[in-house]
């Protein structure tokens, strides 16, 4: 199946999975760090917010490696977009547009609300999908198994509800 934006063929799942596994193993064995993205938000917030929560040693001590890691994710995204034919923002939300006919402000509100739900779930689960689903599952952590099952079940049920009931 081609990618949505430019019709390019995606990287084979085995190659992508091997790359993710390699990054996870390097972080674990070389740097003794866990792969996860949500803690990076705390690092970014700690740079601008002078609150005790963001001044904890668990947050401040991760800055030297997590901030470059986050910058690499952003840079890698731009590099991938550039090499893949360019990137341009678009407002199309597919079936959601046809069903709800939201304007630009409504779409921003929709995405903002979705981001709040994701942020709440990340804090509730004490980690994000990458931390639990990739790192925690590879370490056979029971909490990560429960969190990943919850992420996947919620995503599947929400998609089915939206596309088979609400947007039909």
């Amino acid at each position: 199946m081609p990618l949505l934006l430019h019709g390019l063929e995606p990287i084979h799942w085995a190659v992508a999975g091997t790359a993710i596994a390699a990054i996870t193993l390097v972080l674990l064995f070389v740097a003794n760090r866990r792969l996860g993205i949500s803690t990076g938000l705390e690092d970014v917030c700690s740079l601008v917010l002078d609150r005790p929560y963001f001044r904890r040693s668990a947050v401040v001590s991760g800055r030297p490696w997590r901030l470059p890691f986050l910058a690499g994710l952003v840079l890698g995204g731009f590099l991938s977009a550039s090499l893949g034919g360019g990137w341009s923002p678009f407002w199309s939300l597919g079936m959601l547009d046809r069903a709800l006919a939201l304007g630009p402000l409504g779409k921003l509100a929709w995405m903002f609300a979705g981001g709040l739900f994701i942020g709440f779930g990340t804090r509730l689960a004490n980690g994000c999908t990458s931390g639990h689903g990739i790192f925690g599952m590879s370490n056979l952590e029971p909490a990560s198994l429960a969190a990943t099952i919850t992420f996947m079940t919620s995503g599947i049920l929400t998609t089915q509800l939206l596309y088979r009931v609400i947007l039909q």
Side-chain angles (χ1 to χ4, degrees):
M1 175 188 338
L3 297 175
L4 293 176
L5 290 179
H6 300 291
L8 300 173
E9 285 299 316
I11 296 172
H12 191 273
W13 61 267
V15 174
T18 301
I20 292 169
I23 291 167
T24 301
L25 290 172
V26 166
L27 273 174
L28 180 62
F29 292 121
V30 173
N32 196 27
R33 304 285 185 211
R34 297 175 58 96
L35 176 69
I37 306 303
S38 61
T39 312
L41 176 61
E42 291 178 345
D43 288 323
V44 172
C45 290
S46 75
L47 295 173
V48 294
L49 298 174
D50 190 25
R51 299 276 186 219
Y53 179 82
F54 296 115
R55 300 289 175 219
R56 308 184 329 261
S57 65
V59 173
V60 176
S61 67
R63 280 188 198 161
W65 76 271
R66 224 176 351 248
L67 291 176
F69 178 70
L70 292 173
L73 289 175
V74 173
L75 182 62
F78 282 116
L79 182 62
S80 175
S82 298
L83 295 175
W87 175 82
S88 60
F90 60 93
W91 285 102
S92 174
L93 297 177
M95 290 175 66
L96 192 64
D97 269 347
R98 290 188 292 279
L100 301 180
L102 296 172
L105 191 60
K107 291 177 185 183
L108 285 174
W110 181 270
M111 289 182 256
F112 182 78
L116 288 177
F117 280 120
I118 290 171
F120 176 75
T122 297
R123 287 295 98 200
L124 185 66
N126 200 22
C128 60
T129 52
S130 60
H132 282 299
I134 297 169
F135 194 88
M137 291 291 288
S138 65
N139 283 328
L140 304 175
E141 297 173 9
S144 290
L145 176 63
T148 302
I149 289 171
T150 303
F151 295 148
M152 295 301 292
T153 303
S154 299
I156 291 167
L157 290 176
T158 301
T159 301
Q160 294 302 313
L161 177 68
L162 267 174
Y163 287 102
R164 294 188 185 268
V165 177
I166 296 173
L167 300 179
Q168 215 176 44

